[in-house]
Amino acid sequence: MLYFVYLEDIADNAGIRAELLDRHMQHIGAFVDRIKLGGPVMRADGEAQAGGILVLEADSETAVRAMIDADPYFKAGLWRDVKIHPFKEILNGWK
């Protein structure tokens, strides 16, 4: 099943992002074969990051939650809100 994940950062996020970027990318890299789409959500200025989104395949919401909970960004308190929703792709298909 596909899941849409919205990760909303805390306001003062730059320090955590910079410090843990490599560890976060290493963690996400372990799931790259399941991630269909992923990237940062930007603030209105188009420069600063405000969070991120993922669309990924997983067996359950519990599996997605475990992946998020193990992320260094989550452990450091970067994300003030995490929303996980089942997702049904209708347009354009994953290429």
Side-chain angles (χ1 to χ4, degrees):
M1 172 176 274
L2 288 174
Y3 290 88
F4 173 84
V5 182
Y6 177 70
L7 307 156
E8 184 179 354
D9 282 12
I10 59 173
D12 187 17
N13 64 353
I16 295 172
R17 281 192 168 279
E19 179 182 338
L20 297 175
L21 176 61
D22 290 341
R23 289 177 47 208
H24 164 71
M25 294 307 293
Q26 184 177 31
H27 175 73
I28 289 295
F31 301 94
V32 72
D33 61 323
R34 298 180 208 157
I35 297 173
K36 303 300 181 186
L37 175 72
V41 173
M42 306 307 289
R43 296 191 192 279
D45 65 10
E47 299 293 323
Q49 295 180 6
I53 64 162
L54 295 169
V55 176
L56 68 146
E57 288 183 270
D59 293 332
S60 66
E61 184 174 333
T62 302
V64 176
R65 187 79 225 178
M67 181 190 89
I68 298 301
D69 288 353
D71 192 294
Y73 278 171
F74 180 80
K75 290 179 178 182
L78 176 66
W79 297 319
R80 75 174 197 97
D81 194 15
V82 175
K83 294 187 173 147
I84 302 170
H85 298 279
F87 180 76
K88 183 176 181 181
E89 183 275 323
I90 295 177
L91 296 174
N92 292 330
W94 304 107
K95 298 176 172 89

